[in-house]
Amino acid sequence: MANVISDETMEYVGILAKLELTDEQKQQAKKDMERMLDYIDKLNELDTSAVEPMSHVFPVHNVFREDEVTNGDDREAILANAPAQKEGAFVVPKTVE
């Protein structure tokens, strides 16, 4: 085990995480964190020079369709449903004084 975490560091992590740990829990958390750091060190030993950087494990493709206008400008048909219209727009009751 190359990574050793001090008791002060564990106390500080407990304060940051807002955890109230017993001494036994602190010791167990300390061991767990040391094992995690050791594992990260082991992963850092791997040769990843031939691995292309990626943002996702699986290939992600654009799932959005192209933005194409299909109905065009059919203002007259739309305004035909309006109870009142003026200068090519809907006329609605005034809501703000």
Side-chain angles (χ1 to χ4, degrees):
M1 235 195 280
N3 293 295
V4 178
I5 298 175
S6 68
D7 291 334
E8 293 81 20
T9 302
M10 280 309 302
E11 192 70 34
Y12 183 63
V13 170
I15 292 169
L16 289 177
K18 297 183 180 181
L19 296 174
E20 294 180 16
L21 302 173
T22 64
D23 288 337
E24 184 180 310
Q25 290 172 326
K26 286 180 189 176
Q27 290 303 316
Q28 184 60 45
K30 183 176 171 181
K31 288 178 191 175
D32 290 343
M33 289 179 72
E34 288 172 350
R35 284 198 318 252
M36 284 187 259
L37 292 174
D38 287 340
Y39 185 70
I40 291 170
D41 287 343
K42 187 151 186 79
L43 289 175
N44 285 333
E45 293 173 8
L46 294 173
D47 179 22
T48 59
S49 59
V51 178
E52 183 179 334
M54 61 180 137
S55 61
H56 297 318
V57 177
F58 300 108
V60 177
H61 304 286
N62 186 359
V63 295
F64 298 111
R65 63 175 170 75
E66 291 296 321
D67 189 16
E68 298 173 4
V69 177
T70 57
N71 59 354
D73 185 19
D74 201 8
R75 179 180 292 212
E76 296 304 319
I78 295 170
L79 286 174
N81 295 320
Q85 56 178 304
K86 180 179 178 183
E87 298 176 8
F90 290 98
V91 176
V92 296
K94 188 175 183 179
T95 57
V96 179
E97 294 291 330

